Amino acid sequence: MAAPWDMTGKVVVITGGNAGIGLGFARGIARAGGDVVIWGRRQEKNEEAAAQLAEFGVRALPQSVDVADEAQVVAGMAEAVAKMGRVTGVIANAGVMKPVTSFLEMTNEAYHGLLAINQHGAFHAAREAARHFKARWDAGDQSGGSILFCASLSAVTGSPGMQHYNAAKGAMASMARGIAVDLGRYAIRANTVCPGYTISETVIDPGPDHPLGKRVREGTPIPRFGTPEDFEGIGVYFMSDASRFHTGDLVKVDGGWMANAGKSNIGALR
């Protein structure tokens, strides 16, 4: 058996993998020798990310896939398998963040529009990956596969004006546990990672003098915002054989925010 952290021969699909935390996951996997499939709606961004990853000497396939569209996910997974030979893991990371002023003003369109991407998109990607893993098992390849949901601390905390986001991220954690229990006998693993405040296209560090920047630093034992680089290692862990007996879990990568939660009361956002 290869060294547990060696990603050689692994192929990982990452939804929303062209920027932010998703690209952080992808970079870590590529550094460890794994091949990567980048899904996103902006093909030019997918291609830019794939070019960066190819510099590590691995294969990187950019695919234009809107995870909210079930047909696109089904076709995208089939194409990824055909072009890469197989898929060994998927990271369901694609998501949007669209807060409203108050739950009292949240419309049906806003609620279900966010769930279509953050929750239903994650379901589509995870299901298609699991179907592929099971098909490989039935064909004699019993190496299984790994599914990782990238949720948020909002999966376990409340956030004003973000109840749709809370619901979607909480559903990811519940879905992971259900998949773990249902499909573990096929060596299929499912876990959830919950980022704390992490710099991305939707989250910026406004600086230590800004109220948000100050409160994040004061409330986080490692007193800074997270960065996409902070997720390279955890992505490799869950996509590699290092985690082959780890399933149904939720792991927080938040600089200690939740361990120190009593010190700050602002809503936890990714």
Side-chain angles (χ1 to χ4, degrees):
M1 186 172 66
W5 294 89
D6 184 3
M7 292 290 295
T8 303
K10 302 290 188 183
V11 180
V12 180
V13 173
I14 304 173
T15 75
N18 59 29
I21 293 174
L23 186 53
F25 287 133
R27 252 194 322 266
I29 290 163
R31 287 182 196 274
D35 297 325
V36 182
V37 179
I38 299 295
W39 282 8
R41 291 181 292 185
R42 297 172 294 175
Q43 183 63 1
E44 69 283 358
K45 291 285 290 182
N46 298 340
E47 292 174 357
E48 289 173 8
Q52 291 180 36
L53 299 170
E55 293 179 2
F56 294 106
V58 301
R59 295 181 298 164
L61 174 66
Q63 289 182 288
S64 178
V65 176
D66 180 352
V67 295
D69 185 327
E70 180 182 18
Q72 288 191 37
V73 173
V74 172
M77 187 64 70
E79 180 185 15
V81 171
K83 290 186 174 181
M84 305 298 274
R86 66 172 186 164
V87 168
T88 62
V90 65
I91 302 179
N93 168 78
V96 295
M97 185 187 298
K98 297 181 178 180
V100 299
T101 304
S102 165
F103 181 65
L104 301 176
E105 299 177 7
M106 187 171 291
T107 65
N108 191 62
E109 290 76 15
Y111 186 87
H112 289 284
L114 185 140
L115 262 61
I117 299 171
N118 293 22
Q119 179 179 337
H120 302 157
F123 156 67
H124 296 150
R127 185 197 63 194
E128 289 311 298
R131 285 174 170 173
H132 170 63
F133 301 156
K134 174 60 164 54
R136 283 199 288 106
W137 175 279
D138 291 341
D141 176 359
Q142 299 187 344
S143 58
S146 180
I147 298 167
L148 181 64
F149 294 96
C150 186
S152 163
L153 294 185
S154 290
V156 294
T157 66
S159 305
M162 296 285 284
Q163 290 79 13
H164 47 357
Y165 192 78
N166 294 140
K169 297 302 185 178
M172 282 183 168
S174 295
M175 192 170 3
R177 290 190 291 270
I179 294 169
V181 171
D182 190 16
L183 302 181
R185 61 189 179 275
Y186 305 119
I188 296 172
R189 314 187 309 280
N191 292 281
T192 305
V193 62
C194 290
Y197 280 90
T198 302
I199 295 168
S200 68
E201 290 187 327
T202 54
V203 176
I204 63 169
D205 178 358
D209 296 327
H210 186 279
L212 175 62
K214 181 179 180 182
R215 295 180 76 177
V216 167
R217 287 168 172 81
E218 290 179 349
T220 307
I222 299 176
R224 64 172 175 83
F225 282 70
T227 68
E229 290 75 17
D230 293 321
F231 293 84
E232 292 187 14
I234 196 73
V236 172
Y237 171 71
F238 277 119
M239 292 296 108
S240 72
D241 291 338
S243 61
R244 63 185 180 274
F245 198 57
H246 192 166
T247 194
D249 200 7
L250 183 151
V251 176
K252 298 181 287 292
V253 180
D254 64 353
W257 173 273
M258 289 298 291
N260 196 37
K263 187 169 181 179
S264 182
N265 61 4
I266 56 177
L269 305 180
R270 194 172 92 187

mmCIF file of all heavy atoms in Angstrom, residues 10 87-89 129-130 132-138 140-147 179-191 238-241 243-247:
data_model
loop_
_atom_site.group_PDB
_atom_site.id
_atom_site.type_symbol
_atom_site.label_atom_id
_atom_site.label_comp_id
_atom_site.label_asym_id
_atom_site.label_seq_id
_atom_site.Cartn_x
_atom_site.Cartn_y
_atom_site.Cartn_z
ATOM 1 N N LYS A 10 -4.814 9.162 -7.278
ATOM 2 C CA LYS A 10 -6.124 9.640 -6.847
ATOM 3 C C LYS A 10 -6.615 10.709 -7.821
ATOM 4 O O LYS A 10 -5.832 11.474 -8.391
ATOM 5 C CB LYS A 10 -6.050 10.255 -5.447
ATOM 6 C CG LYS A 10 -5.519 9.309 -4.367
ATOM 7 C CD LYS A 10 -6.490 8.201 -4.051
ATOM 8 C CE LYS A 10 -6.012 7.395 -2.840
ATOM 9 N NZ LYS A 10 -6.910 6.258 -2.542
ATOM 10 N N VAL A 87 -12.716 8.332 -10.679
ATOM 11 C CA VAL A 87 -12.747 9.382 -9.658
ATOM 12 C C VAL A 87 -12.678 8.688 -8.302
ATOM 13 O O VAL A 87 -13.375 7.695 -8.075
ATOM 14 C CB VAL A 87 -14.025 10.243 -9.775
ATOM 15 C CG1 VAL A 87 -14.202 11.131 -8.547
ATOM 16 C CG2 VAL A 87 -13.984 11.100 -11.040
ATOM 17 N N THR A 88 -11.821 9.174 -7.420
ATOM 18 C CA THR A 88 -11.673 8.554 -6.097
ATOM 19 C C THR A 88 -12.207 9.422 -4.970
ATOM 20 O O THR A 88 -12.329 8.952 -3.840
ATOM 21 C CB THR A 88 -10.196 8.245 -5.810
ATOM 22 O OG1 THR A 88 -9.444 9.473 -5.794
ATOM 23 C CG2 THR A 88 -9.622 7.317 -6.876
ATOM 24 N N GLY A 89 -12.518 10.682 -5.279
ATOM 25 C CA GLY A 89 -13.038 11.545 -4.232
ATOM 26 C C GLY A 89 -13.742 12.750 -4.805
ATOM 27 O O GLY A 89 -13.506 13.138 -5.968
ATOM 28 N N ALA A 129 -20.918 10.885 -7.298
ATOM 29 C CA ALA A 129 -19.645 10.291 -6.890
ATOM 30 C C ALA A 129 -19.884 8.937 -6.245
ATOM 31 O O ALA A 129 -19.193 7.952 -6.554
ATOM 32 C CB ALA A 129 -18.919 11.226 -5.931
ATOM 33 N N ALA A 130 -20.853 8.867 -5.342
ATOM 34 C CA ALA A 130 -21.138 7.608 -4.648
ATOM 35 C C ALA A 130 -21.569 6.518 -5.628
ATOM 36 O O ALA A 130 -21.190 5.342 -5.475
ATOM 37 C CB ALA A 130 -22.215 7.826 -3.587
ATOM 38 N N HIS A 132 -20.586 6.218 -8.688
ATOM 39 C CA HIS A 132 -19.363 5.778 -9.364
ATOM 40 C C HIS A 132 -18.529 4.879 -8.446
ATOM 41 O O HIS A 132 -18.023 3.837 -8.877
ATOM 42 C CB HIS A 132 -18.544 6.992 -9.807
ATOM 43 C CG HIS A 132 -17.173 6.652 -10.298
ATOM 44 N ND1 HIS A 132 -16.956 5.870 -11.410
ATOM 45 C CD2 HIS A 132 -15.942 6.975 -9.812
ATOM 46 C CE1 HIS A 132 -15.655 5.737 -11.606
ATOM 47 N NE2 HIS A 132 -15.015 6.387 -10.639
ATOM 48 N N PHE A 133 -18.393 5.269 -7.170
ATOM 49 C CA PHE A 133 -17.626 4.450 -6.223
ATOM 50 C C PHE A 133 -18.235 3.051 -6.100
ATOM 51 O O PHE A 133 -17.526 2.046 -6.071
ATOM 52 C CB PHE A 133 -17.591 5.100 -4.837
ATOM 53 C CG PHE A 133 -16.995 6.480 -4.789
ATOM 54 C CD1 PHE A 133 -17.343 7.351 -3.751
ATOM 55 C CD2 PHE A 133 -16.092 6.919 -5.736
ATOM 56 C CE1 PHE A 133 -16.800 8.613 -3.679
ATOM 57 C CE2 PHE A 133 -15.544 8.196 -5.677
ATOM 58 C CZ PHE A 133 -15.910 9.051 -4.645
ATOM 59 N N LYS A 134 -19.565 3.007 -6.022
ATOM 60 C CA LYS A 134 -20.252 1.715 -5.881
ATOM 61 C C LYS A 134 -20.075 0.880 -7.149
ATOM 62 O O LYS A 134 -19.886 -0.354 -7.080
ATOM 63 C CB LYS A 134 -21.737 1.951 -5.605
ATOM 64 C CG LYS A 134 -22.619 0.692 -5.577
ATOM 65 C CD LYS A 134 -22.202 -0.310 -4.515
ATOM 66 C CE LYS A 134 -23.293 -1.344 -4.230
ATOM 67 N NZ LYS A 134 -23.784 -2.065 -5.420
ATOM 68 N N ALA A 135 -20.130 1.505 -8.305
ATOM 69 C CA ALA A 135 -19.936 0.771 -9.562
ATOM 70 C C ALA A 135 -18.534 0.177 -9.623
ATOM 71 O O ALA A 135 -18.347 -0.961 -10.078
ATOM 72 C CB ALA A 135 -20.182 1.697 -10.752
ATOM 73 N N ARG A 136 -17.555 0.928 -9.154
ATOM 74 C CA ARG A 136 -16.185 0.387 -9.125
ATOM 75 C C ARG A 136 -16.091 -0.788 -8.155
ATOM 76 O O ARG A 136 -15.418 -1.784 -8.420
ATOM 77 C CB ARG A 136 -15.188 1.483 -8.739
ATOM 78 C CG ARG A 136 -14.879 2.452 -9.867
ATOM 79 C CD ARG A 136 -13.580 3.214 -9.631
ATOM 80 N NE ARG A 136 -13.674 4.205 -8.579
ATOM 81 C CZ ARG A 136 -13.147 4.076 -7.365
ATOM 82 N NH1 ARG A 136 -12.505 2.975 -7.013
ATOM 83 N NH2 ARG A 136 -13.265 5.045 -6.486
ATOM 84 N N TRP A 137 -16.758 -0.672 -7.019
ATOM 85 C CA TRP A 137 -16.780 -1.762 -6.034
ATOM 86 C C TRP A 137 -17.366 -3.021 -6.663
ATOM 87 O O TRP A 137 -16.816 -4.118 -6.535
ATOM 88 C CB TRP A 137 -17.597 -1.328 -4.827
ATOM 89 C CG TRP A 137 -17.801 -2.390 -3.788
ATOM 90 C CD1 TRP A 137 -18.727 -3.394 -3.805
ATOM 91 C CD2 TRP A 137 -17.056 -2.574 -2.576
ATOM 92 N NE1 TRP A 137 -18.623 -4.171 -2.685
ATOM 93 C CE2 TRP A 137 -17.594 -3.695 -1.901
ATOM 94 C CE3 TRP A 137 -16.008 -1.885 -1.982
ATOM 95 C CZ2 TRP A 137 -17.109 -4.138 -0.679
ATOM 96 C CZ3 TRP A 137 -15.525 -2.322 -0.759
ATOM 97 C CH2 TRP A 137 -16.072 -3.448 -0.116
ATOM 98 N N ASP A 138 -18.492 -2.862 -7.347
ATOM 99 C CA ASP A 138 -19.157 -4.000 -7.974
ATOM 100 C C ASP A 138 -18.285 -4.634 -9.060
ATOM 101 O O ASP A 138 -18.389 -5.836 -9.327
ATOM 102 C CB ASP A 138 -20.488 -3.560 -8.587
ATOM 103 C CG ASP A 138 -21.520 -3.179 -7.529
ATOM 104 O OD1 ASP A 138 -21.351 -3.576 -6.360
ATOM 105 O OD2 ASP A 138 -22.483 -2.463 -7.884
ATOM 106 N N GLY A 140 -15.098 -4.921 -8.862
ATOM 107 C CA GLY A 140 -13.927 -5.538 -8.259
ATOM 108 C C GLY A 140 -12.900 -4.593 -7.680
ATOM 109 O O GLY A 140 -11.954 -5.027 -7.017
ATOM 110 N N ASP A 141 -13.064 -3.285 -7.912
ATOM 111 C CA ASP A 141 -12.176 -2.287 -7.321
ATOM 112 C C ASP A 141 -12.786 -1.846 -5.998
ATOM 113 O O ASP A 141 -13.702 -1.035 -5.964
ATOM 114 C CB ASP A 141 -12.010 -1.098 -8.265
ATOM 115 C CG ASP A 141 -11.161 0.023 -7.664
ATOM 116 O OD1 ASP A 141 -10.708 -0.113 -6.510
ATOM 117 O OD2 ASP A 141 -10.956 1.040 -8.354
ATOM 118 N N GLN A 142 -12.305 -2.398 -4.905
ATOM 119 C CA GLN A 142 -12.927 -2.161 -3.603
ATOM 120 C C GLN A 142 -12.192 -1.106 -2.784
ATOM 121 O O GLN A 142 -12.195 -1.137 -1.545
ATOM 122 C CB GLN A 142 -13.033 -3.480 -2.844
ATOM 123 C CG GLN A 142 -13.903 -4.489 -3.593
ATOM 124 C CD GLN A 142 -14.182 -5.748 -2.808
ATOM 125 O OE1 GLN A 142 -13.529 -6.050 -1.823
ATOM 126 N NE2 GLN A 142 -15.164 -6.506 -3.265
ATOM 127 N N SER A 143 -11.569 -0.159 -3.496
ATOM 128 C CA SER A 143 -10.873 0.924 -2.801
ATOM 129 C C SER A 143 -11.818 2.003 -2.303
ATOM 130 O O SER A 143 -11.425 2.893 -1.542
ATOM 131 C CB SER A 143 -9.819 1.545 -3.723
ATOM 132 O OG SER A 143 -10.407 2.032 -4.923
ATOM 133 N N GLY A 144 -13.086 1.949 -2.719
ATOM 134 C CA GLY A 144 -14.080 2.895 -2.223
ATOM 135 C C GLY A 144 -13.856 4.296 -2.721
ATOM 136 O O GLY A 144 -13.393 4.524 -3.835
ATOM 137 N N GLY A 145 -14.174 5.257 -1.881
ATOM 138 C CA GLY A 145 -14.033 6.663 -2.258
ATOM 139 C C GLY A 145 -14.380 7.550 -1.093
ATOM 140 O O GLY A 145 -14.942 7.103 -0.083
ATOM 141 N N SER A 146 -14.033 8.822 -1.229
ATOM 142 C CA SER A 146 -14.222 9.776 -0.138
ATOM 143 C C SER A 146 -15.034 10.973 -0.610
ATOM 144 O O SER A 146 -14.766 11.537 -1.675
ATOM 145 C CB SER A 146 -12.866 10.252 0.394
ATOM 146 O OG SER A 146 -13.028 11.173 1.445
ATOM 147 N N ILE A 147 -16.020 11.346 0.198
ATOM 148 C CA ILE A 147 -16.848 12.525 -0.053
ATOM 149 C C ILE A 147 -16.618 13.500 1.097
ATOM 150 O O ILE A 147 -16.707 13.124 2.267
ATOM 151 C CB ILE A 147 -18.333 12.150 -0.126
ATOM 152 C CG1 ILE A 147 -18.585 11.183 -1.288
ATOM 153 C CG2 ILE A 147 -19.205 13.400 -0.264
ATOM 154 C CD1 ILE A 147 -19.953 10.514 -1.238
ATOM 155 N N ILE A 179 -24.788 9.325 4.652
ATOM 156 C CA ILE A 179 -24.021 8.596 3.639
ATOM 157 C C ILE A 179 -23.038 7.650 4.307
ATOM 158 O O ILE A 179 -22.873 6.491 3.885
ATOM 159 C CB ILE A 179 -23.281 9.586 2.724
ATOM 160 C CG1 ILE A 179 -24.275 10.402 1.900
ATOM 161 C CG2 ILE A 179 -22.305 8.847 1.802
ATOM 162 C CD1 ILE A 179 -23.650 11.583 1.176
ATOM 163 N N ALA A 180 -22.372 8.128 5.361
ATOM 164 C CA ALA A 180 -21.388 7.301 6.066
ATOM 165 C C ALA A 180 -22.016 6.014 6.578
ATOM 166 O O ALA A 180 -21.444 4.917 6.436
ATOM 167 C CB ALA A 180 -20.776 8.094 7.217
ATOM 168 N N VAL A 181 -23.194 6.114 7.152
ATOM 169 C CA VAL A 181 -23.865 4.942 7.719
ATOM 170 C C VAL A 181 -24.386 4.019 6.617
ATOM 171 O O VAL A 181 -24.311 2.790 6.719
ATOM 172 C CB VAL A 181 -25.021 5.400 8.632
ATOM 173 C CG1 VAL A 181 -25.878 4.211 9.063
ATOM 174 C CG2 VAL A 181 -24.475 6.123 9.862
ATOM 175 N N ASP A 182 -24.872 4.599 5.550
ATOM 176 C CA ASP A 182 -25.490 3.831 4.471
ATOM 177 C C ASP A 182 -24.467 3.107 3.598
ATOM 178 O O ASP A 182 -24.693 1.960 3.181
ATOM 179 C CB ASP A 182 -26.327 4.790 3.612
ATOM 180 C CG ASP A 182 -27.220 4.087 2.605
ATOM 181 O OD1 ASP A 182 -27.449 2.869 2.747
ATOM 182 O OD2 ASP A 182 -27.705 4.768 1.675
ATOM 183 N N LEU A 183 -23.342 3.762 3.318
ATOM 184 C CA LEU A 183 -22.439 3.260 2.280
ATOM 185 C C LEU A 183 -21.057 2.848 2.787
ATOM 186 O O LEU A 183 -20.184 2.502 1.978
ATOM 187 C CB LEU A 183 -22.277 4.318 1.177
ATOM 188 C CG LEU A 183 -23.576 4.775 0.496
ATOM 189 C CD1 LEU A 183 -23.282 5.803 -0.578
ATOM 190 C CD2 LEU A 183 -24.339 3.588 -0.090
ATOM 191 N N GLY A 184 -20.862 2.842 4.075
ATOM 192 C CA GLY A 184 -19.570 2.448 4.611
ATOM 193 C C GLY A 184 -19.165 1.038 4.218
ATOM 194 O O GLY A 184 -17.977 0.741 4.078
ATOM 195 N N ARG A 185 -20.152 0.155 4.025
ATOM 196 C CA ARG A 185 -19.834 -1.232 3.672
ATOM 197 C C ARG A 185 -19.189 -1.338 2.287
ATOM 198 O O ARG A 185 -18.636 -2.387 1.943
ATOM 199 C CB ARG A 185 -21.101 -2.090 3.734
ATOM 200 C CG ARG A 185 -22.218 -1.677 2.791
ATOM 201 C CD ARG A 185 -23.482 -2.468 3.106
ATOM 202 N NE ARG A 185 -24.621 -2.131 2.276
ATOM 203 C CZ ARG A 185 -25.444 -1.127 2.524
ATOM 204 N NH1 ARG A 185 -25.224 -0.334 3.574
ATOM 205 N NH2 ARG A 185 -26.487 -0.911 1.747
ATOM 206 N N TYR A 186 -19.247 -0.256 1.513
ATOM 207 C CA TYR A 186 -18.577 -0.233 0.210
ATOM 208 C C TYR A 186 -17.283 0.585 0.278
ATOM 209 O O TYR A 186 -16.758 0.992 -0.767
ATOM 210 C CB TYR A 186 -19.503 0.364 -0.848
ATOM 211 C CG TYR A 186 -20.842 -0.330 -0.934
ATOM 212 C CD1 TYR A 186 -22.018 0.371 -0.676
ATOM 213 C CD2 TYR A 186 -20.935 -1.682 -1.253
ATOM 214 C CE1 TYR A 186 -23.251 -0.254 -0.741
ATOM 215 C CE2 TYR A 186 -22.170 -2.324 -1.318
ATOM 216 C CZ TYR A 186 -23.325 -1.598 -1.054
ATOM 217 O OH TYR A 186 -24.548 -2.226 -1.112
ATOM 218 N N ALA A 187 -16.800 0.836 1.477
ATOM 219 C CA ALA A 187 -15.582 1.638 1.694
ATOM 220 C C ALA A 187 -15.757 3.077 1.218
ATOM 221 O O ALA A 187 -14.785 3.748 0.867
ATOM 222 C CB ALA A 187 -14.372 0.994 1.033
ATOM 223 N N ILE A 188 -17.007 3.537 1.230
ATOM 224 C CA ILE A 188 -17.299 4.930 0.886
ATOM 225 C C ILE A 188 -17.376 5.734 2.175
ATOM 226 O O ILE A 188 -18.138 5.394 3.085
ATOM 227 C CB ILE A 188 -18.614 5.042 0.096
ATOM 228 C CG1 ILE A 188 -18.481 4.317 -1.250
ATOM 229 C CG2 ILE A 188 -18.993 6.506 -0.121
ATOM 230 C CD1 ILE A 188 -19.775 4.200 -2.031
ATOM 231 N N ARG A 189 -16.570 6.783 2.260
ATOM 232 C CA ARG A 189 -16.511 7.628 3.449
ATOM 233 C C ARG A 189 -17.139 8.980 3.142
ATOM 234 O O ARG A 189 -17.058 9.475 2.012
ATOM 235 C CB ARG A 189 -15.055 7.832 3.888
ATOM 236 C CG ARG A 189 -14.252 6.550 3.900
ATOM 237 C CD ARG A 189 -12.868 6.717 4.488
ATOM 238 N NE ARG A 189 -12.073 7.797 3.944
ATOM 239 C CZ ARG A 189 -11.402 7.755 2.795
ATOM 240 N NH1 ARG A 189 -11.477 6.679 2.024
ATOM 241 N NH2 ARG A 189 -10.668 8.781 2.404
ATOM 242 N N ALA A 190 -17.732 9.598 4.155
ATOM 243 C CA ALA A 190 -18.308 10.934 3.994
ATOM 244 C C ALA A 190 -18.077 11.728 5.263
ATOM 245 O O ALA A 190 -18.381 11.257 6.364
ATOM 246 C CB ALA A 190 -19.798 10.847 3.681
ATOM 247 N N ASN A 191 -17.548 12.920 5.120
ATOM 248 C CA ASN A 191 -17.250 13.784 6.251
ATOM 249 C C ASN A 191 -17.564 15.228 5.894
ATOM 250 O O ASN A 191 -17.822 15.561 4.739
ATOM 251 C CB ASN A 191 -15.773 13.656 6.637
ATOM 252 C CG ASN A 191 -15.434 12.291 7.205
ATOM 253 O OD1 ASN A 191 -15.696 12.002 8.364
ATOM 254 N ND2 ASN A 191 -14.848 11.426 6.372
ATOM 255 N N PHE A 238 -8.513 14.039 3.987
ATOM 256 C CA PHE A 238 -9.783 13.365 3.731
ATOM 257 C C PHE A 238 -9.855 12.712 2.353
ATOM 258 O O PHE A 238 -10.623 11.775 2.158
ATOM 259 C CB PHE A 238 -10.950 14.325 3.919
ATOM 260 C CG PHE A 238 -11.382 14.462 5.353
ATOM 261 C CD1 PHE A 238 -11.327 15.688 5.999
ATOM 262 C CD2 PHE A 238 -11.836 13.367 6.067
ATOM 263 C CE1 PHE A 238 -11.719 15.816 7.325
ATOM 264 C CE2 PHE A 238 -12.227 13.483 7.392
ATOM 265 C CZ PHE A 238 -12.161 14.709 8.025
ATOM 266 N N MET A 239 -9.068 13.163 1.398
ATOM 267 C CA MET A 239 -9.080 12.561 0.067
ATOM 268 C C MET A 239 -8.051 11.441 -0.084
ATOM 269 O O MET A 239 -8.042 10.736 -1.090
ATOM 270 C CB MET A 239 -8.833 13.632 -0.999
ATOM 271 C CG MET A 239 -9.971 14.633 -1.147
ATOM 272 S SD MET A 239 -11.528 13.895 -1.736
ATOM 273 C CE MET A 239 -12.518 13.963 -0.229
ATOM 274 N N SER A 240 -7.195 11.263 0.900
ATOM 275 C CA SER A 240 -6.150 10.244 0.817
ATOM 276 C C SER A 240 -6.490 9.051 1.695
ATOM 277 O O SER A 240 -7.461 9.062 2.467
ATOM 278 C CB SER A 240 -4.805 10.839 1.259
ATOM 279 O OG SER A 240 -4.784 11.045 2.663
ATOM 280 N N ASP A 241 -5.649 8.031 1.622
ATOM 281 C CA ASP A 241 -5.848 6.843 2.442
ATOM 282 C C ASP A 241 -5.522 7.087 3.913
ATOM 283 O O ASP A 241 -5.771 6.211 4.750
ATOM 284 C CB ASP A 241 -4.992 5.687 1.906
ATOM 285 C CG ASP A 241 -5.484 5.180 0.558
ATOM 286 O OD1 ASP A 241 -6.668 5.402 0.247
ATOM 287 O OD2 ASP A 241 -4.683 4.583 -0.181
ATOM 288 N N SER A 243 -7.158 8.815 5.777
ATOM 289 C CA SER A 243 -8.450 8.886 6.475
ATOM 290 C C SER A 243 -9.335 7.682 6.156
ATOM 291 O O SER A 243 -10.563 7.770 6.270
ATOM 292 C CB SER A 243 -9.185 10.174 6.086
ATOM 293 O OG SER A 243 -9.434 10.205 4.695
ATOM 294 N N ARG A 244 -8.742 6.556 5.792
ATOM 295 C CA ARG A 244 -9.535 5.430 5.295
ATOM 296 C C ARG A 244 -10.490 4.831 6.322
ATOM 297 O O ARG A 244 -11.404 4.098 5.973
ATOM 298 C CB ARG A 244 -8.618 4.344 4.736
ATOM 299 C CG ARG A 244 -7.683 3.699 5.748
ATOM 300 C CD ARG A 244 -6.730 2.716 5.059
ATOM 301 N NE ARG A 244 -5.819 2.087 6.005
ATOM 302 C CZ ARG A 244 -4.655 2.610 6.383
ATOM 303 N NH1 ARG A 244 -4.275 3.785 5.885
ATOM 304 N NH2 ARG A 244 -3.883 1.982 7.236
ATOM 305 N N PHE A 245 -10.295 5.154 7.637
ATOM 306 C CA PHE A 245 -11.205 4.656 8.669
ATOM 307 C C PHE A 245 -11.925 5.808 9.369
ATOM 308 O O PHE A 245 -12.451 5.666 10.464
ATOM 309 C CB PHE A 245 -10.424 3.819 9.690
ATOM 310 C CG PHE A 245 -11.284 2.896 10.542
ATOM 311 C CD1 PHE A 245 -12.107 1.956 9.967
ATOM 312 C CD2 PHE A 245 -11.260 2.992 11.934
ATOM 313 C CE1 PHE A 245 -12.905 1.120 10.748
ATOM 314 C CE2 PHE A 245 -12.051 2.157 12.730
ATOM 315 C CZ PHE A 245 -12.869 1.225 12.129
ATOM 316 N N HIS A 246 -11.984 6.946 8.705
ATOM 317 C CA HIS A 246 -12.569 8.161 9.282
ATOM 318 C C HIS A 246 -13.800 8.540 8.471
ATOM 319 O O HIS A 246 -13.699 8.927 7.309
ATOM 320 C CB HIS A 246 -11.530 9.288 9.237
ATOM 321 C CG HIS A 246 -11.897 10.487 10.055
ATOM 322 N ND1 HIS A 246 -10.980 11.473 10.363
ATOM 323 C CD2 HIS A 246 -13.063 10.872 10.635
ATOM 324 C CE1 HIS A 246 -11.560 12.405 11.098
ATOM 325 N NE2 HIS A 246 -12.831 12.069 11.257
ATOM 326 N N THR A 247 -14.964 8.417 9.067
ATOM 327 C CA THR A 247 -16.195 8.729 8.335
ATOM 328 C C THR A 247 -17.284 9.193 9.289
ATOM 329 O O THR A 247 -17.264 8.897 10.478
ATOM 330 C CB THR A 247 -16.666 7.503 7.518
ATOM 331 O OG1 THR A 247 -17.669 7.900 6.575
ATOM 332 C CG2 THR A 247 -17.213 6.400 8.407
#
